[in-house]
Amino acid sequence: MKFLSPLKGKNTLENFPLLPLRELVLFPHTVIPIFITYKSGITALEDALKRDSRLFAACLKESPVPSTKETASKGGRSRKTAGLGSGGMSSHYPLGFDGETYEAGTVVRVLQHMKLPDNTFRVVLQGEYRGVIAAKAKKSGFSMVSIEPMVSSETPESDGSQLQALIRAVQRSFAQYAEYSRKISTETILSVERSESPERMGNLICNSLGIKPDRKIALLQIRDTEARMEAILEALETENEIFGIQKNISGKVKSRMEKSQREYYLYEQLREINKELGKDGVEDEFAELERIILERNPPEEVLLKARKEIKRLQKLQPFSPEAGVLRGYLEWIGDIPWSESTPDSIDLTEAERILNEDHFNMKKAKERILEFIAVRQLGIRSEENNRVKGPILCFVGPPGTGKTSLGKSVARALGRNFVRVSLGGVRDEAEIRGHRKTYVGALPGKIIQFLRKAASVNPVFLLDEIDKLSSDFRGDPASALLEVLDPEQNSTFTDHYLEVAYDLSKVLFIATANSLHTIPYPLLDRMEIIEIPGYGDMEKLAIAKQFLVPKELAENSLSGAKIQFKDDTLLEIIRHWTMESGVRSLEREIARCIRRIARYAVENGYGASGGKPLDTFKKTVRRADLEKLLGRQKYKNDVVFKEARVGVSYGLAWTETGGALLAVETSSFEGSGELIITGNLGDVMKESARIALSYLRSVQNRYDFKVEVGKTDFHVHVPEGAIPKDGPSAGITLAASLLSTFCGIAPKSAVAMTGELTLTGRILPIGGLKEKLLAAIRNGMEQVILPADNREDFEELDKELRGALEVEFVETADEAFEVLFNTTQSPE
């Protein structure tokens, strides 16, 4: 079966005036009314009326900006057109303008034309057949085009039944499209259903499709009948799918709106029914809220605020956003503990037993908690008991020393609830004070949130990593904590969300920090600082034997086995597989050993069903086994020369992971008196080196210098240059290294020192004494030179640590040099 255009057998070119149209594609077999208001279109129309009333209508490729005159003509009046004839449209089509057009278009006949008073035309056009521009020539005010008719064709292997199937599919899809669109006339729908010509059917459908002009042009210029019908079917299915999605979305939105309206209607009905029955469910809800709040026994101020908000809530619609905010606020008021408290344990002996059971040493922290319990015990039967305020403690020490777990032990010893909030990285003030309840998703701050979790007004509240607080444009949380941690103010702490005062004076606040340098002074001033120093080797050994080994055996299902770690084995792990002040790494290494032993036990048939009983498994871990269990040693001692060397002295440094030994090396060479300092040193340490040089030059008459300082350059280097180093406590060490170089005398070996040097030669006290002494012991030092002002700190250390080293206390650099160079006089 073969369908041809109306010009069947006519292949000659015909010439027509060109009618450019903007965003409008005309198809054969359709009748369209339009207005022609632009000059080129009017001229082309007048020329066509002189001929046979036919034009070639083609759509413009782009939409050029119309001239002022043409724009005024288009927008100057409101016009309506009615559809005329078959396929007539009832809308006002956009006007055309001059510009480049598509090559494909439609030859149209002017059925009616009417010249209007403003010299524009209203015309009714009927599409006759499709065509392609073969040639184009400019005329006076318009263009003439030669048109090659576009004849429908079939592929040689086309099947008539396949084409019929395509036609029916297109008709069904168009019927569905017309149902979705509701803008297609009944006449057009019937014409498509009754049409037997694919050409006519395709033209009617394409004219009715609400797609872009470029897609319509693509459908217009397809010559092959089957290909064109397939393209039309694809366009119809795409549009139907879009309509279906839109319908689905609209249905969901409508159903949600209907559900909300239905709920509101039923709620109002239920309210009226309850009134008739003599009980109001809504009133019951408000009464329940008030009852819950009353059970918490809040202060009078809070109760008045809650009742005021309940009255506001009663006047609001149940599903309004503000009602949800108020209901959430009242629920928070009812959830927070206002008067509930846990009784404090006043048994000093039991509290001391619990603290000693959980932690080794930590005398200062334990003594402070026992003092608090003693004060509570004295006032337990007096009216002054309620006036005892919770202390604000701050545990400061290196990582892994048990600060956080000590907070849990304090709560257990006191018989209080325990809550912990991590402050590391907190940079928003609202995290502490909360947001105002007017904000979407507003909540109270962490203080109130965790007090609700504690369910009592006197918990142990741990503020972990308080030195890691930061600030930005959202506020400074450290400043917000000033009120929380001030015993004189925190009885009236006000959260932005609650808007009423809350009493925090009964809370025992414990903060933890690794360093005090980053904590603002006003906040630091409000806390009682308790230092928790790092552990020595013997302390770590005791902790490993009493706590870590039993814990890891239990966690790795070997508590029933007979596994023993020798003391020298544990000390070897401490010294060569860990490098820390705490015991976290030590715990991990012990766990690695026990896991390897567990694997060995299973491989040898212990613990399995039907195998050897686990309690018969025995293993003693010796030093020789460590390399097999843990691999090669991870850490060596610091850089230390066994023999005394000129220009080399040893200082002691404190780090957050413990103490370290710093070797200071100085060399001299001919120059101009310049001091070169290397080793990744900070500004303070560089200043200490310059102070040491200035001091030695000021007292050079006391010493026998082998070099002329003004004509010699000195290079001071602190090894391990990748590690940053800073601080003033290396002043005496730098001076000793320089003096050794000046005089050419090597200092005593196995002697370490620490102390800040002034320009007058005084030695000032230092911090981190315990960690520094531990570093000296670990690296085989025999004697240590310390500032005289640190004598009291030294006396507070354990007896074992004090007896491990020979200590010399000095007040001036001269005294230190006498000890270091083993002379009663300075080097001469």
Side-chain angles (χ1 to χ4, degrees):
M1 184 182 297
K2 188 174 182 181
F3 296 92
L4 298 177
S5 72
L7 294 181
K8 182 177 179 181
K10 183 176 182 179
N11 294 321
T12 57
L13 300 180
E14 289 189 275
N15 297 326
F16 301 103
L18 176 63
L19 178 64
L21 301 174
R22 178 175 177 267
E23 295 183 1
L24 176 61
V25 180
L26 298 183
F27 287 86
H29 310 105
T30 59
V31 177
I32 303 291
I34 65 171
F35 288 90
I36 302 177
T37 60
Y38 47 98
K39 185 177 180 181
S40 60
I42 293 172
T43 310
L45 175 65
E46 290 175 343
D47 185 79
L49 292 175
K50 295 176 182 177
R51 300 169 177 263
D52 54 357
S53 299
R54 290 197 297 172
L55 304 98
F56 184 73
C59 182
L60 290 164
K61 287 185 177 181
E62 296 179 356
S63 302
V65 179
S67 64
T68 306
K69 194 177 291 186
E70 291 169 347
T71 304
S73 174
K74 177 183 176 183
R77 66 179 71 184
S78 175
R79 295 169 174 164
K80 296 182 180 178
T81 59
L84 300 176
S86 176
M89 303 298 291
S90 59
S91 62
H92 181 191
Y93 282 91
L95 300 178
F97 297 92
D98 292 330
E100 185 179 358
T101 63
Y102 289 97
E103 294 183 356
T106 304
V107 175
V108 297
R109 181 178 295 276
V110 181
L111 297 182
Q112 295 179 7
H113 66 278
M114 179 189 303
K115 191 170 185 180
L116 301 177
D118 57 356
N119 293 324
T120 61
F121 281 86
R122 178 188 183 277
V123 296
V124 178
L125 304 178
Q126 180 183 25
E128 292 192 345
Y129 62 89
R130 296 180 290 154
V132 179
I133 298 176
K136 187 176 182 180
K138 283 284 186 180
K139 295 290 184 178
S140 177
F142 67 98
S143 298
M144 286 293 293
V145 290
S146 298
I147 301 302
E148 177 187 349
M150 194 181 300
V151 181
S152 299
S153 63
E154 289 182 341
T155 55
E157 56 276 0
S158 61
D159 185 4
S161 59
Q162 182 176 349
L163 182 60
Q164 285 296 329
L166 265 176
I167 291 172
R168 293 178 183 178
V170 169
Q171 288 174 331
R172 282 195 302 269
S173 187
F174 180 72
Q176 186 180 2
Y177 175 81
E179 183 180 349
Y180 279 138
S181 176
R182 299 181 183 276
K183 294 180 180 179
I184 301 174
S185 65
T186 306
E187 184 179 357
T188 303
I189 297 172
L190 291 174
S191 298
V192 171
E193 288 179 355
R194 297 170 182 173
S195 176
E196 297 181 357
S197 167
E199 175 73 15
R200 175 181 172 82
M201 180 192 303
N203 292 331
L204 292 174
I205 293 174
C206 291
N207 186 64
S208 302
L209 278 174
I211 57 178
K212 293 184 177 180
D214 56 343
R215 293 180 61 192
K216 285 193 174 185
I217 290 293
L219 296 175
L220 179 70
Q221 60 189 8
I222 299 176
R223 296 175 180 268
D224 183 73
T225 302
E226 288 188 10
R228 191 179 188 214
M229 295 304 290
E230 288 175 357
I232 293 172
L233 180 61
E234 181 181 352
L236 284 170
E237 292 296 332
T238 302
E239 292 300 309
N240 288 339
E241 184 177 357
I242 294 172
F243 273 124
I245 294 171
Q246 288 177 341
K247 185 177 180 181
N248 188 26
I249 294 172
S250 300
K252 288 180 179 178
V253 173
K254 185 178 180 182
S255 65
R256 281 199 294 266
M257 292 177 63
E258 289 176 350
K259 181 181 178 182
S260 176
Q261 292 171 353
R262 179 173 174 272
E263 286 177 352
Y264 175 74
Y265 177 71
L266 292 175
Y267 182 83
E268 291 297 323
Q269 280 190 330
L270 182 62
R271 188 171 182 174
E272 293 300 323
I273 292 171
N274 285 330
K275 283 184 179 180
E276 292 295 328
L277 293 175
K279 60 176 184 177
D280 192 346
V282 178
E283 295 295 333
D284 289 346
E285 177 191 351
F286 299 139
E288 179 70 11
L289 277 173
E290 187 171 356
R291 182 187 64 78
I292 292 172
I293 294 172
L294 284 171
E295 286 178 354
R296 293 290 187 179
N297 193 22
E300 188 64 26
E301 176 194 2
V302 178
L303 196 56
L304 291 174
K305 175 73 172 175
R307 284 173 174 164
K308 178 182 177 181
E309 297 298 339
I310 289 174
K311 288 181 181 178
R312 286 185 59 203
L313 181 60
Q314 289 175 331
K315 298 176 183 178
L316 297 173
Q317 294 294 341
F319 300 102
S320 67
E322 189 177 357
V325 170
L326 284 180
R327 191 174 286 106
Y329 172 77
L330 291 169
E331 287 173 356
W332 269 101
I333 294 289
D335 288 344
I336 300 170
W338 294 97
S339 58
E340 298 89 343
S341 62
T342 54
D344 284 346
S345 171
I346 56 174
D347 189 342
L348 276 177
T349 306
E350 178 64 15
E352 188 173 8
R353 185 195 66 79
I354 291 173
L355 293 173
N356 290 331
E357 178 184 303
D358 292 345
H359 292 85
F360 181 81
N361 206 343
M362 297 188 180
K363 291 181 181 178
K364 288 186 179 179
K366 292 176 181 178
E367 286 175 358
R368 182 63 183 87
I369 299 304
L370 293 176
E371 290 168 3
F372 174 73
I373 296 175
V375 172
R376 294 288 290 175
Q377 184 176 358
L378 290 175
I380 196 71
R381 295 180 181 177
S382 68
E383 294 180 357
E384 296 180 354
N385 180 47
N386 291 329
R387 300 180 187 175
V388 178
K389 298 177 180 178
I392 313 294
L393 307 179
C394 182
F395 297 154
V396 181
T401 50
K403 300 182 295 296
T404 302
S405 59
L406 179 59
K408 295 180 182 179
S409 296
V410 170
R412 195 159 73 92
L414 290 172
R416 295 190 177 191
N417 297 330
F418 175 79
V419 286
R420 170 186 166 272
V421 57
S422 177
L423 298 178
V426 173
R427 58 179 66 244
D428 189 356
E429 178 194 359
E431 293 284 338
I432 306 299
R433 289 186 174 275
H435 293 86
R436 308 229 175 248
K437 66 176 183 289
T438 52
Y439 292 104
V440 177
L443 285 174
K446 288 186 179 294
I447 303 298
I448 299 299
Q449 288 184 38
F450 280 84
L451 281 172
R452 181 178 73 165
K453 182 180 178 181
S456 64
V457 296
N458 63 337
V460 174
F461 201 118
L462 185 72
L463 301 170
D464 211 5
E465 308 292 354
I466 197 171
D467 58 326
K468 308 299 190 301
L469 284 171
S470 55
S471 61
D472 61 6
F473 64 93
R474 290 170 288 190
D476 184 4
S479 299
L481 282 173
L482 294 178
E483 181 184 4
V484 175
L485 300 182
D486 191 341
E488 302 300 326
Q489 299 181 33
N490 62 9
S491 60
T492 56
F493 171 71
T494 303
D495 186 277
H496 288 160
Y497 183 83
L498 294 183
E499 298 176 343
V500 290
Y502 190 91
D503 186 2
L504 297 175
S505 62
K506 298 177 182 178
V507 179
L508 172 54
F509 284 103
I510 298 178
T512 69
N514 298 129
S515 173
L516 298 177
H517 303 302
T518 57
I519 303 176
Y521 179 76
L523 183 60
L524 195 63
D525 185 56
R526 284 165 166 77
M527 299 185 291
E528 184 178 342
I529 307 301
I530 297 177
E531 291 188 2
I532 299 181
Y535 300 115
D537 290 352
M538 302 311 295
E539 290 173 319
K540 290 181 180 179
L541 175 61
I543 292 171
K545 292 171 65 177
Q546 296 178 29
F547 300 99
L548 301 183
V549 172
K551 175 185 175 183
E552 293 303 325
L553 286 174
E555 289 187 357
N556 291 280
S557 305
L558 285 175
S559 55
K562 297 179 177 61
I563 298 175
Q564 183 182 4
F565 282 78
K566 291 289 187 181
D567 288 0
D568 60 342
T569 304
L570 291 172
L571 284 172
E572 189 73 7
I573 296 174
I574 291 167
R575 290 168 179 168
H576 297 294
W577 274 272
T578 67
M579 180 68 70
E580 58 175 352
S581 293
V583 292
R584 281 204 185 107
S585 295
L586 177 59
E587 183 177 2
R588 283 193 289 268
E589 297 303 325
I590 291 173
R592 283 180 63 196
C593 285
I594 293 175
R595 288 196 300 270
R596 296 285 175 87
I597 294 171
R599 178 180 174 183
Y600 173 79
V602 172
E603 289 175 348
N604 286 271
Y606 289 94
S609 58
K612 304 174 188 178
L614 190 60
D615 55 5
T616 62
F617 178 72
K618 297 181 180 180
K619 175 67 177 176
T620 300
V621 184
R622 306 181 187 277
R623 290 179 62 182
D625 301 327
L626 289 180
E627 191 163 343
K628 182 178 179 182
L629 292 172
L630 299 177
R632 299 180 62 183
Q633 295 181 359
K634 293 182 179 179
Y635 302 101
K636 306 289 184 182
N637 291 336
D638 294 322
V639 180
V640 178
F641 295 110
K642 294 182 179 179
E643 70 282 358
R645 294 194 178 191
V646 175
V648 178
S649 61
Y650 298 102
L652 297 170
W654 178 92
T655 69
E656 290 188 357
T657 58
L661 190 74
L662 291 182
V664 177
E665 303 171 349
T666 301
S667 64
S668 61
F669 43 88
E670 189 175 342
S672 58
E674 183 183 358
L675 179 64
I676 304 170
I677 307 171
T678 58
N680 200 356
L681 308 185
D683 292 338
V684 176
M685 199 164 177
K686 291 178 180 178
E687 289 176 359
S688 297
R690 296 188 184 96
I691 290 171
L693 179 61
S694 298
Y695 169 71
L696 292 175
R697 293 182 68 175
S698 68
V699 296
Q700 60 182 331
N701 58 337
R702 302 181 192 175
Y703 306 103
D704 181 18
F705 284 6
K706 303 298 183 183
V707 296
E708 190 173 350
V709 178
K711 297 182 179 180
T712 306
D713 288 346
F714 301 96
H715 187 163
V716 177
H717 176 67
V718 182
E720 296 184 295
I723 301 173
K725 311 168 192 72
D726 203 2
S729 63
I732 185 62
T733 312
L734 292 162
S737 177
L738 285 167
L739 182 60
S740 174
T741 303
F742 292 169
C743 300
I745 300 175
K748 288 170 59 177
S749 62
V751 178
M753 67 207 77
T754 181
E756 180 179 353
L757 177 67
T758 69
L759 275 175
T760 58
R762 293 177 56 213
I763 306 297
L764 302 183
I766 48 85
L769 179 61
K770 182 177 180 180
E771 286 80 5
K772 292 181 177 181
L773 293 180
L774 291 173
I777 296 171
R778 186 174 65 247
N779 289 280
M781 295 290 111
E782 299 172 359
Q783 191 175 22
V784 174
I785 300 173
L786 298 177
D789 290 338
N790 283 112
R791 189 185 297 273
E792 293 182 1
D793 298 328
F794 180 77
E795 294 299 330
E796 291 182 358
L797 299 176
D798 295 334
K799 184 178 180 180
E800 292 181 358
L801 184 56
R802 296 200 306 268
L805 292 165
E806 180 184 348
V807 179
E808 294 289 342
F809 293 97
V810 297
E811 292 184 354
T812 64
D814 289 341
E815 295 177 14
F817 295 153
E818 289 177 6
V819 175
L820 188 60
F821 293 98
N822 201 20
T823 60
T824 56
Q825 300 293 329
S826 300
E828 292 182 356

